[in-house]
Amino acid sequence: MKLWRLHPSDTQLEDTQIFQDICDALSDGKLVAIPTETVYGLAADATNGKACASIYEAKGRPSFNPLISHIDSLEAAQTHAFFDDRALKLAEAFWPGPLTLVLPKRPTSPVSDLAVAGLETIALRVPRSDVMRALCKHTGRPLAAPSANLSGRISGTTAEDVINDLKDHLSYLIDSGATSVGVESTIVSLVGKRPTLLRPGGLAREDIEAVLGETLVRAGTDDSAPMAPGMLTSHYAPNSHIRLNAEDVAEGEALITFGANLPKGSDKAAKLVPLSDSEDLTEAAARLFTALRQADLGENGKIAVMPIPHHGLGEAINDRLARAAAPRD
Ligand code: TXA
Ligand code: MG
């Protein structure tokens, strides 16, 4: 891990060699810890599924929570999501700043399925941090970044926090001292009818309501409000019935494969959708949500999934598959 120490008086960050090197590392799918005004972010190219998989791997997250995609401007944000009048008002009032907007994702957005955990919505934020915005701009990529801490630990607000939790996973750490806001961004969803507060954070609810001219519903308290963030991973589910740890395949089932040793009856499968032929769990995680979609045969369809080991990212993959396979009403 290389450390880049920024000083408040530093300008023209883009002209330095290390800035260029960090752009290259990000474009190459590497992980970089980047300060924002809220907390340090564990950043990777949001359009690169494998890079996003390595975020979950580094954090040791046992499940795939969707990630926030950071961009450098409202204009860039509009290429990834549909902005209605409310979204435009909030973005114009509070970006750059500690506000994340959850919006309907444009089908043309290159943000990976894993970054949004298979959802048709996307969380977007233009941070106040100059260096984060400059990196988004110069790489030409949205940067997916959860807080830079191990799963279950508190969010890193200093470079030391980040080093303690993540140093072995990082290509670079950019140190700009303690973050100014110190808590995560406020998350507002504009996907449902009523604007909904998904997570209180660095921007006060009252300030948001003053600009919107209406009150924010608290997630999960009203039928018109979308689910709370913790419930999100159960949101996207294929229509087909899912069978896990399949050791054989029935006529007409779609088979999601892992490794090259296919189970008996694979020749009768309606289709084969590989997660990773080389049994690489990072690759499998990167492909998971796209694979579920591809394997889906519709209402009466059936999907069989080969066993996936439980170590490393396998834990999150199995968690997601178990939710998709759980009986629904
Ligand atoms: O201040 C922050 O927001 C920091 C800095 C680095 O920007 N990031 C951060 O990310 O706190 P993270 O991953 O720790 O929290 C992201 C939250 C999760 O609770 C997730 O459920 C929610 O955002 N989220 C992401 N995409 C969503 C979506 N499409 N719908 C609803 N919630 C979403
Ligand atoms: Mg976090």
Side-chain angles (χ1 to χ4, degrees), residues 181-220:
V181 175
V183 294
E184 293 92 341
S185 61
T186 302
I187 306 181
V188 172
S189 169
L190 296 172
V191 171
K193 262 214 180 81
R194 302 276 313 276
T196 303
L197 182 64
L198 293 184
R199 179 177 75 184
L203 179 66
R205 161 203 275 274
E206 293 80 356
D207 295 344
I208 299 169
E209 291 175 340
V211 168
L212 278 180
E214 63 181 308
T215 54
L216 291 173
V217 185
R218 194 62 204 264

PDB file of all heavy atoms in Angstrom, residues 181-220:
ATOM      1  N   VAL A 181     -17.085  15.994   8.455  1.00  0.00           N
ATOM      2  CA  VAL A 181     -18.454  15.692   8.896  1.00  0.00           C
ATOM      3  C   VAL A 181     -18.446  14.542   9.918  1.00  0.00           C
ATOM      4  O   VAL A 181     -19.118  14.609  10.948  1.00  0.00           O
ATOM      5  CB  VAL A 181     -19.371  15.360   7.697  1.00  0.00           C
ATOM      6  CG1 VAL A 181     -20.758  14.935   8.164  1.00  0.00           C
ATOM      7  CG2 VAL A 181     -19.464  16.562   6.754  1.00  0.00           C
ATOM      8  N   GLY A 182     -17.700  13.494   9.626  1.00  0.00           N
ATOM      9  CA  GLY A 182     -17.483  12.434  10.615  1.00  0.00           C
ATOM     10  C   GLY A 182     -18.564  11.371  10.711  1.00  0.00           C
ATOM     11  O   GLY A 182     -18.363  10.349  11.356  1.00  0.00           O
ATOM     12  N   VAL A 183     -19.723  11.585  10.101  1.00  0.00           N
ATOM     13  CA  VAL A 183     -20.714  10.508   9.990  1.00  0.00           C
ATOM     14  C   VAL A 183     -21.069  10.349   8.512  1.00  0.00           C
ATOM     15  O   VAL A 183     -20.827  11.244   7.712  1.00  0.00           O
ATOM     16  CB  VAL A 183     -22.024  10.778  10.792  1.00  0.00           C
ATOM     17  CG1 VAL A 183     -21.759  10.792  12.268  1.00  0.00           C
ATOM     18  CG2 VAL A 183     -22.682  12.063  10.332  1.00  0.00           C
ATOM     19  N   GLU A 184     -21.663   9.218   8.175  1.00  0.00           N
ATOM     20  CA  GLU A 184     -21.979   8.932   6.784  1.00  0.00           C
ATOM     21  C   GLU A 184     -23.018   9.903   6.221  1.00  0.00           C
ATOM     22  O   GLU A 184     -23.716  10.587   6.971  1.00  0.00           O
ATOM     23  CB  GLU A 184     -22.525   7.500   6.633  1.00  0.00           C
ATOM     24  CG  GLU A 184     -21.531   6.407   6.914  1.00  0.00           C
ATOM     25  CD  GLU A 184     -21.548   5.958   8.353  1.00  0.00           C
ATOM     26  OE1 GLU A 184     -22.055   6.710   9.230  1.00  0.00           O
ATOM     27  OE2 GLU A 184     -21.044   4.848   8.617  1.00  0.00           O
ATOM     28  N   SER A 185     -23.144   9.869   4.901  1.00  0.00           N
ATOM     29  CA  SER A 185     -24.122  10.737   4.239  1.00  0.00           C
ATOM     30  C   SER A 185     -25.552  10.332   4.594  1.00  0.00           C
ATOM     31  O   SER A 185     -25.816   9.174   4.925  1.00  0.00           O
ATOM     32  CB  SER A 185     -23.925  10.655   2.726  1.00  0.00           C
ATOM     33  OG  SER A 185     -24.127   9.331   2.275  1.00  0.00           O
ATOM     34  N   THR A 186     -26.443  11.297   4.518  1.00  0.00           N
ATOM     35  CA  THR A 186     -27.880  11.031   4.645  1.00  0.00           C
ATOM     36  C   THR A 186     -28.355  10.402   3.335  1.00  0.00           C
ATOM     37  O   THR A 186     -27.981  10.867   2.260  1.00  0.00           O
ATOM     38  CB  THR A 186     -28.627  12.359   4.882  1.00  0.00           C
ATOM     39  OG1 THR A 186     -28.094  12.959   6.064  1.00  0.00           O
ATOM     40  CG2 THR A 186     -30.125  12.151   5.027  1.00  0.00           C
ATOM     41  N   ILE A 187     -29.134   9.322   3.440  1.00  0.00           N
ATOM     42  CA  ILE A 187     -29.625   8.667   2.210  1.00  0.00           C
ATOM     43  C   ILE A 187     -31.123   8.884   2.054  1.00  0.00           C
ATOM     44  O   ILE A 187     -31.906   8.545   2.950  1.00  0.00           O
ATOM     45  CB  ILE A 187     -29.337   7.154   2.212  1.00  0.00           C
ATOM     46  CG1 ILE A 187     -27.848   6.887   2.458  1.00  0.00           C
ATOM     47  CG2 ILE A 187     -29.775   6.530   0.887  1.00  0.00           C
ATOM     48  CD1 ILE A 187     -27.472   5.410   2.455  1.00  0.00           C
ATOM     49  N   VAL A 188     -31.500   9.478   0.917  1.00  0.00           N
ATOM     50  CA  VAL A 188     -32.914   9.718   0.610  1.00  0.00           C
ATOM     51  C   VAL A 188     -33.280   8.944  -0.645  1.00  0.00           C
ATOM     52  O   VAL A 188     -32.583   9.025  -1.656  1.00  0.00           O
ATOM     53  CB  VAL A 188     -33.174  11.223   0.390  1.00  0.00           C
ATOM     54  CG1 VAL A 188     -34.590  11.473  -0.130  1.00  0.00           C
ATOM     55  CG2 VAL A 188     -32.942  12.000   1.682  1.00  0.00           C
ATOM     56  N   SER A 189     -34.360   8.181  -0.566  1.00  0.00           N
ATOM     57  CA  SER A 189     -34.840   7.466  -1.747  1.00  0.00           C
ATOM     58  C   SER A 189     -35.973   8.253  -2.394  1.00  0.00           C
ATOM     59  O   SER A 189     -36.915   8.674  -1.724  1.00  0.00           O
ATOM     60  CB  SER A 189     -35.343   6.072  -1.360  1.00  0.00           C
ATOM     61  OG  SER A 189     -36.037   5.515  -2.472  1.00  0.00           O
ATOM     62  N   LEU A 190     -35.863   8.428  -3.714  1.00  0.00           N
ATOM     63  CA  LEU A 190     -36.927   9.086  -4.474  1.00  0.00           C
ATOM     64  C   LEU A 190     -37.517   8.094  -5.469  1.00  0.00           C
ATOM     65  O   LEU A 190     -37.984   8.458  -6.531  1.00  0.00           O
ATOM     66  CB  LEU A 190     -36.367  10.325  -5.176  1.00  0.00           C
ATOM     67  CG  LEU A 190     -35.872  11.405  -4.218  1.00  0.00           C
ATOM     68  CD1 LEU A 190     -35.159  12.517  -4.980  1.00  0.00           C
ATOM     69  CD2 LEU A 190     -37.042  11.991  -3.422  1.00  0.00           C
ATOM     70  N   VAL A 191     -37.498   6.830  -5.089  1.00  0.00           N
ATOM     71  CA  VAL A 191     -37.988   5.789  -5.979  1.00  0.00           C
ATOM     72  C   VAL A 191     -39.499   5.612  -5.832  1.00  0.00           C
ATOM     73  O   VAL A 191     -40.211   5.411  -6.804  1.00  0.00           O
ATOM     74  CB  VAL A 191     -37.263   4.454  -5.681  1.00  0.00           C
ATOM     75  CG1 VAL A 191     -37.892   3.314  -6.431  1.00  0.00           C
ATOM     76  CG2 VAL A 191     -35.781   4.576  -6.029  1.00  0.00           C
ATOM     77  N   GLY A 192     -39.984   5.692  -4.595  1.00  0.00           N
ATOM     78  CA  GLY A 192     -41.420   5.537  -4.361  1.00  0.00           C
ATOM     79  C   GLY A 192     -42.157   6.863  -4.515  1.00  0.00           C
ATOM     80  O   GLY A 192     -41.573   7.864  -4.938  1.00  0.00           O
ATOM     81  N   LYS A 193     -43.440   6.855  -4.161  1.00  0.00           N
ATOM     82  CA  LYS A 193     -44.267   8.060  -4.278  1.00  0.00           C
ATOM     83  C   LYS A 193     -43.782   9.151  -3.340  1.00  0.00           C
ATOM     84  O   LYS A 193     -43.658  10.306  -3.717  1.00  0.00           O
ATOM     85  CB  LYS A 193     -45.716   7.712  -3.907  1.00  0.00           C
ATOM     86  CG  LYS A 193     -46.631   7.450  -5.064  1.00  0.00           C
ATOM     87  CD  LYS A 193     -48.060   7.942  -4.706  1.00  0.00           C
ATOM     88  CE  LYS A 193     -49.030   7.714  -5.831  1.00  0.00           C
ATOM     89  NZ  LYS A 193     -49.526   6.322  -5.857  1.00  0.00           N
ATOM     90  N   ARG A 194     -43.517   8.754  -2.067  1.00  0.00           N
ATOM     91  CA  ARG A 194     -43.093   9.727  -1.069  1.00  0.00           C
ATOM     92  C   ARG A 194     -41.583   9.683  -0.898  1.00  0.00           C
ATOM     93  O   ARG A 194     -41.005   8.591  -0.857  1.00  0.00           O
ATOM     94  CB  ARG A 194     -43.743   9.387   0.298  1.00  0.00           C
ATOM     95  CG  ARG A 194     -45.270   9.335   0.287  1.00  0.00           C
ATOM     96  CD  ARG A 194     -45.887  10.714   0.464  1.00  0.00           C
ATOM     97  NE  ARG A 194     -45.282  11.475   1.554  1.00  0.00           N
ATOM     98  CZ  ARG A 194     -45.629  11.367   2.840  1.00  0.00           C
ATOM     99  NH1 ARG A 194     -46.562  10.508   3.201  1.00  0.00           N
ATOM    100  NH2 ARG A 194     -45.047  12.115   3.751  1.00  0.00           N
ATOM    101  N   PRO A 195     -40.943  10.859  -0.800  1.00  0.00           N
ATOM    102  CA  PRO A 195     -39.508  10.849  -0.521  1.00  0.00           C
ATOM    103  C   PRO A 195     -39.244  10.204   0.840  1.00  0.00           C
ATOM    104  O   PRO A 195     -39.945  10.495   1.814  1.00  0.00           O
ATOM    105  CB  PRO A 195     -39.123  12.331  -0.521  1.00  0.00           C
ATOM    106  CG  PRO A 195     -40.386  13.090  -0.433  1.00  0.00           C
ATOM    107  CD  PRO A 195     -41.506  12.203  -0.885  1.00  0.00           C
ATOM    108  N   THR A 196     -38.267   9.325   0.884  1.00  0.00           N
ATOM    109  CA  THR A 196     -38.068   8.483   2.062  1.00  0.00           C
ATOM    110  C   THR A 196     -36.652   8.585   2.611  1.00  0.00           C
ATOM    111  O   THR A 196     -35.684   8.539   1.848  1.00  0.00           O
ATOM    112  CB  THR A 196     -38.355   7.014   1.666  1.00  0.00           C
ATOM    113  OG1 THR A 196     -39.679   6.949   1.146  1.00  0.00           O
ATOM    114  CG2 THR A 196     -38.231   6.083   2.847  1.00  0.00           C
ATOM    115  N   LEU A 197     -36.570   8.724   3.930  1.00  0.00           N
ATOM    116  CA  LEU A 197     -35.269   8.768   4.594  1.00  0.00           C
ATOM    117  C   LEU A 197     -34.817   7.332   4.869  1.00  0.00           C
ATOM    118  O   LEU A 197     -35.374   6.651   5.722  1.00  0.00           O
ATOM    119  CB  LEU A 197     -35.400   9.545   5.909  1.00  0.00           C
ATOM    120  CG  LEU A 197     -34.124   9.738   6.715  1.00  0.00           C
ATOM    121  CD1 LEU A 197     -33.102  10.576   5.957  1.00  0.00           C
ATOM    122  CD2 LEU A 197     -34.443  10.398   8.059  1.00  0.00           C
ATOM    123  N   LEU A 198     -33.806   6.874   4.137  1.00  0.00           N
ATOM    124  CA  LEU A 198     -33.318   5.497   4.339  1.00  0.00           C
ATOM    125  C   LEU A 198     -32.259   5.443   5.431  1.00  0.00           C
ATOM    126  O   LEU A 198     -32.123   4.443   6.113  1.00  0.00           O
ATOM    127  CB  LEU A 198     -32.729   4.931   3.053  1.00  0.00           C
ATOM    128  CG  LEU A 198     -33.668   4.674   1.889  1.00  0.00           C
ATOM    129  CD1 LEU A 198     -32.918   4.024   0.731  1.00  0.00           C
ATOM    130  CD2 LEU A 198     -34.827   3.777   2.307  1.00  0.00           C
ATOM    131  N   ARG A 199     -31.486   6.519   5.564  1.00  0.00           N
ATOM    132  CA  ARG A 199     -30.453   6.547   6.607  1.00  0.00           C
ATOM    133  C   ARG A 199     -30.218   7.990   7.019  1.00  0.00           C
ATOM    134  O   ARG A 199     -29.875   8.815   6.183  1.00  0.00           O
ATOM    135  CB  ARG A 199     -29.144   5.945   6.081  1.00  0.00           C
ATOM    136  CG  ARG A 199     -28.018   5.970   7.129  1.00  0.00           C
ATOM    137  CD  ARG A 199     -26.740   5.314   6.638  1.00  0.00           C
ATOM    138  NE  ARG A 199     -26.021   6.147   5.678  1.00  0.00           N
ATOM    139  CZ  ARG A 199     -24.923   5.775   5.035  1.00  0.00           C
ATOM    140  NH1 ARG A 199     -24.412   4.570   5.232  1.00  0.00           N
ATOM    141  NH2 ARG A 199     -24.335   6.590   4.194  1.00  0.00           N
ATOM    142  N   PRO A 200     -30.400   8.312   8.296  1.00  0.00           N
ATOM    143  CA  PRO A 200     -30.038   9.662   8.752  1.00  0.00           C
ATOM    144  C   PRO A 200     -28.521   9.788   8.694  1.00  0.00           C
ATOM    145  O   PRO A 200     -27.807   8.797   8.861  1.00  0.00           O
ATOM    146  CB  PRO A 200     -30.518   9.704  10.205  1.00  0.00           C
ATOM    147  CG  PRO A 200     -31.163   8.392  10.490  1.00  0.00           C
ATOM    148  CD  PRO A 200     -30.833   7.437   9.392  1.00  0.00           C
ATOM    149  N   GLY A 201     -28.010  10.975   8.437  1.00  0.00           N
ATOM    150  CA  GLY A 201     -26.560  11.129   8.332  1.00  0.00           C
ATOM    151  C   GLY A 201     -26.150  12.585   8.420  1.00  0.00           C
ATOM    152  O   GLY A 201     -26.814  13.383   9.093  1.00  0.00           O
ATOM    153  N   GLY A 202     -25.091  12.927   7.703  1.00  0.00           N
ATOM    154  CA  GLY A 202     -24.442  14.234   7.835  1.00  0.00           C
ATOM    155  C   GLY A 202     -25.252  15.440   7.394  1.00  0.00           C
ATOM    156  O   GLY A 202     -24.850  16.572   7.653  1.00  0.00           O
ATOM    157  N   LEU A 203     -26.364  15.235   6.713  1.00  0.00           N
ATOM    158  CA  LEU A 203     -27.220  16.365   6.328  1.00  0.00           C
ATOM    159  C   LEU A 203     -28.545  16.216   7.069  1.00  0.00           C
ATOM    160  O   LEU A 203     -29.178  15.163   7.008  1.00  0.00           O
ATOM    161  CB  LEU A 203     -27.450  16.343   4.811  1.00  0.00           C
ATOM    162  CG  LEU A 203     -28.337  17.451   4.249  1.00  0.00           C
ATOM    163  CD1 LEU A 203     -27.678  18.822   4.410  1.00  0.00           C
ATOM    164  CD2 LEU A 203     -28.635  17.197   2.768  1.00  0.00           C
ATOM    165  N   ALA A 204     -28.972  17.286   7.747  1.00  0.00           N
ATOM    166  CA  ALA A 204     -30.161  17.197   8.606  1.00  0.00           C
ATOM    167  C   ALA A 204     -31.433  17.032   7.784  1.00  0.00           C
ATOM    168  O   ALA A 204     -31.605  17.644   6.733  1.00  0.00           O
ATOM    169  CB  ALA A 204     -30.268  18.432   9.485  1.00  0.00           C
ATOM    170  N   ARG A 205     -32.331  16.207   8.299  1.00  0.00           N
ATOM    171  CA  ARG A 205     -33.636  15.975   7.689  1.00  0.00           C
ATOM    172  C   ARG A 205     -34.362  17.302   7.419  1.00  0.00           C
ATOM    173  O   ARG A 205     -34.927  17.494   6.337  1.00  0.00           O
ATOM    174  CB  ARG A 205     -34.450  15.108   8.651  1.00  0.00           C
ATOM    175  CG  ARG A 205     -35.939  15.135   8.433  1.00  0.00           C
ATOM    176  CD  ARG A 205     -36.668  14.738   9.699  1.00  0.00           C
ATOM    177  NE  ARG A 205     -36.797  13.300   9.823  1.00  0.00           N
ATOM    178  CZ  ARG A 205     -37.802  12.602   9.278  1.00  0.00           C
ATOM    179  NH1 ARG A 205     -38.753  13.184   8.595  1.00  0.00           N
ATOM    180  NH2 ARG A 205     -37.869  11.311   9.430  1.00  0.00           N
ATOM    181  N   GLU A 206     -34.314  18.223   8.402  1.00  0.00           N
ATOM    182  CA  GLU A 206     -35.030  19.499   8.267  1.00  0.00           C
ATOM    183  C   GLU A 206     -34.555  20.285   7.045  1.00  0.00           C
ATOM    184  O   GLU A 206     -35.350  20.926   6.366  1.00  0.00           O
ATOM    185  CB  GLU A 206     -34.828  20.374   9.518  1.00  0.00           C
ATOM    186  CG  GLU A 206     -35.473  19.840  10.787  1.00  0.00           C
ATOM    187  CD  GLU A 206     -34.660  18.750  11.478  1.00  0.00           C
ATOM    188  OE1 GLU A 206     -33.600  18.322  10.944  1.00  0.00           O
ATOM    189  OE2 GLU A 206     -35.088  18.294  12.558  1.00  0.00           O
ATOM    190  N   ASP A 207     -33.249  20.249   6.784  1.00  0.00           N
ATOM    191  CA  ASP A 207     -32.708  20.988   5.633  1.00  0.00           C
ATOM    192  C   ASP A 207     -33.243  20.401   4.329  1.00  0.00           C
ATOM    193  O   ASP A 207     -33.534  21.126   3.374  1.00  0.00           O
ATOM    194  CB  ASP A 207     -31.175  20.920   5.629  1.00  0.00           C
ATOM    195  CG  ASP A 207     -30.586  21.646   6.835  1.00  0.00           C
ATOM    196  OD1 ASP A 207     -31.321  22.439   7.471  1.00  0.00           O
ATOM    197  OD2 ASP A 207     -29.406  21.404   7.150  1.00  0.00           O
ATOM    198  N   ILE A 208     -33.364  19.092   4.299  1.00  0.00           N
ATOM    199  CA  ILE A 208     -33.863  18.422   3.092  1.00  0.00           C
ATOM    200  C   ILE A 208     -35.351  18.734   2.909  1.00  0.00           C
ATOM    201  O   ILE A 208     -35.806  19.080   1.815  1.00  0.00           O
ATOM    202  CB  ILE A 208     -33.645  16.892   3.203  1.00  0.00           C
ATOM    203  CG1 ILE A 208     -32.151  16.600   3.329  1.00  0.00           C
ATOM    204  CG2 ILE A 208     -34.258  16.159   2.024  1.00  0.00           C
ATOM    205  CD1 ILE A 208     -31.817  15.173   3.714  1.00  0.00           C
ATOM    206  N   GLU A 209     -36.107  18.661   4.013  1.00  0.00           N
ATOM    207  CA  GLU A 209     -37.549  18.923   3.935  1.00  0.00           C
ATOM    208  C   GLU A 209     -37.827  20.363   3.525  1.00  0.00           C
ATOM    209  O   GLU A 209     -38.776  20.639   2.777  1.00  0.00           O
ATOM    210  CB  GLU A 209     -38.205  18.592   5.289  1.00  0.00           C
ATOM    211  CG  GLU A 209     -38.200  17.075   5.551  1.00  0.00           C
ATOM    212  CD  GLU A 209     -38.716  16.682   6.933  1.00  0.00           C
ATOM    213  OE1 GLU A 209     -38.743  17.539   7.848  1.00  0.00           O
ATOM    214  OE2 GLU A 209     -39.080  15.497   7.095  1.00  0.00           O
ATOM    215  N   ALA A 210     -36.981  21.288   3.953  1.00  0.00           N
ATOM    216  CA  ALA A 210     -37.180  22.697   3.601  1.00  0.00           C
ATOM    217  C   ALA A 210     -37.058  22.883   2.091  1.00  0.00           C
ATOM    218  O   ALA A 210     -37.816  23.637   1.476  1.00  0.00           O
ATOM    219  CB  ALA A 210     -36.172  23.575   4.344  1.00  0.00           C
ATOM    220  N   VAL A 211     -36.139  22.198   1.473  1.00  0.00           N
ATOM    221  CA  VAL A 211     -35.955  22.323   0.022  1.00  0.00           C
ATOM    222  C   VAL A 211     -37.059  21.587  -0.734  1.00  0.00           C
ATOM    223  O   VAL A 211     -37.582  22.076  -1.735  1.00  0.00           O
ATOM    224  CB  VAL A 211     -34.555  21.797  -0.391  1.00  0.00           C
ATOM    225  CG1 VAL A 211     -34.448  21.639  -1.898  1.00  0.00           C
ATOM    226  CG2 VAL A 211     -33.473  22.729   0.129  1.00  0.00           C
ATOM    227  N   LEU A 212     -37.458  20.422  -0.224  1.00  0.00           N
ATOM    228  CA  LEU A 212     -38.488  19.622  -0.909  1.00  0.00           C
ATOM    229  C   LEU A 212     -39.878  20.214  -0.744  1.00  0.00           C
ATOM    230  O   LEU A 212     -40.746  20.012  -1.587  1.00  0.00           O
ATOM    231  CB  LEU A 212     -38.522  18.198  -0.331  1.00  0.00           C
ATOM    232  CG  LEU A 212     -37.518  17.180  -0.839  1.00  0.00           C
ATOM    233  CD1 LEU A 212     -37.737  15.859  -0.121  1.00  0.00           C
ATOM    234  CD2 LEU A 212     -37.657  16.982  -2.344  1.00  0.00           C
ATOM    235  N   GLY A 213     -40.095  20.902   0.397  1.00  0.00           N
ATOM    236  CA  GLY A 213     -41.435  21.388   0.695  1.00  0.00           C
ATOM    237  C   GLY A 213     -42.369  20.276   1.129  1.00  0.00           C
ATOM    238  O   GLY A 213     -43.586  20.413   1.061  1.00  0.00           O
ATOM    239  N   GLU A 214     -41.829  19.143   1.556  1.00  0.00           N
ATOM    240  CA  GLU A 214     -42.655  18.076   2.132  1.00  0.00           C
ATOM    241  C   GLU A 214     -41.821  17.271   3.125  1.00  0.00           C
ATOM    242  O   GLU A 214     -40.584  17.354   3.118  1.00  0.00           O
ATOM    243  CB  GLU A 214     -43.275  17.171   1.060  1.00  0.00           C
ATOM    244  CG  GLU A 214     -42.309  16.393   0.219  1.00  0.00           C
ATOM    245  CD  GLU A 214     -42.996  15.527  -0.841  1.00  0.00           C
ATOM    246  OE1 GLU A 214     -43.915  14.745  -0.509  1.00  0.00           O
ATOM    247  OE2 GLU A 214     -42.602  15.625  -2.016  1.00  0.00           O
ATOM    248  N   THR A 215     -42.516  16.496   3.965  1.00  0.00           N
ATOM    249  CA  THR A 215     -41.769  15.741   4.974  1.00  0.00           C
ATOM    250  C   THR A 215     -41.251  14.432   4.392  1.00  0.00           C
ATOM    251  O   THR A 215     -41.821  13.883   3.461  1.00  0.00           O
ATOM    252  CB  THR A 215     -42.653  15.413   6.200  1.00  0.00           C
ATOM    253  OG1 THR A 215     -43.823  14.759   5.723  1.00  0.00           O
ATOM    254  CG2 THR A 215     -43.029  16.668   6.967  1.00  0.00           C
ATOM    255  N   LEU A 216     -40.166  13.954   4.982  1.00  0.00           N
ATOM    256  CA  LEU A 216     -39.588  12.676   4.566  1.00  0.00           C
ATOM    257  C   LEU A 216     -40.241  11.561   5.369  1.00  0.00           C
ATOM    258  O   LEU A 216     -40.376  11.661   6.590  1.00  0.00           O
ATOM    259  CB  LEU A 216     -38.089  12.660   4.858  1.00  0.00           C
ATOM    260  CG  LEU A 216     -37.201  13.574   4.017  1.00  0.00           C
ATOM    261  CD1 LEU A 216     -35.776  13.558   4.557  1.00  0.00           C
ATOM    262  CD2 LEU A 216     -37.219  13.147   2.551  1.00  0.00           C
ATOM    263  N   VAL A 217     -40.637  10.500   4.683  1.00  0.00           N
ATOM    264  CA  VAL A 217     -41.161   9.322   5.363  1.00  0.00           C
ATOM    265  C   VAL A 217     -39.961   8.529   5.856  1.00  0.00           C
ATOM    266  O   VAL A 217     -38.925   8.485   5.186  1.00  0.00           O
ATOM    267  CB  VAL A 217     -41.955   8.442   4.369  1.00  0.00           C
ATOM    268  CG1 VAL A 217     -42.606   7.280   5.081  1.00  0.00           C
ATOM    269  CG2 VAL A 217     -42.955   9.271   3.622  1.00  0.00           C
ATOM    270  N   ARG A 218     -40.084   7.903   7.035  1.00  0.00           N
ATOM    271  CA  ARG A 218     -39.008   7.045   7.516  1.00  0.00           C
ATOM    272  C   ARG A 218     -39.187   5.658   6.898  1.00  0.00           C
ATOM    273  O   ARG A 218     -40.295   5.147   6.854  1.00  0.00           O
ATOM    274  CB  ARG A 218     -39.068   7.002   9.051  1.00  0.00           C
ATOM    275  CG  ARG A 218     -37.848   6.438   9.724  1.00  0.00           C
ATOM    276  CD  ARG A 218     -36.617   7.275   9.430  1.00  0.00           C
ATOM    277  NE  ARG A 218     -35.427   6.452   9.590  1.00  0.00           N
ATOM    278  CZ  ARG A 218     -34.698   6.398  10.692  1.00  0.00           C
ATOM    279  NH1 ARG A 218     -34.995   7.167  11.717  1.00  0.00           N
ATOM    280  NH2 ARG A 218     -33.662   5.600  10.776  1.00  0.00           N
ATOM    281  N   ALA A 219     -38.105   5.071   6.392  1.00  0.00           N
ATOM    282  CA  ALA A 219     -38.183   3.791   5.683  1.00  0.00           C
ATOM    283  C   ALA A 219     -38.948   2.737   6.465  1.00  0.00           C
ATOM    284  O   ALA A 219     -38.751   2.580   7.661  1.00  0.00           O
ATOM    285  CB  ALA A 219     -36.780   3.270   5.390  1.00  0.00           C
ATOM    286  N   GLY A 220     -39.854   2.061   5.779  1.00  0.00           N
ATOM    287  CA  GLY A 220     -40.559   0.937   6.381  1.00  0.00           C
ATOM    288  C   GLY A 220     -41.756   1.317   7.232  1.00  0.00           C
ATOM    289  O   GLY A 220     -42.431   0.454   7.775  1.00  0.00           O
TER     290      GLY A 220
END
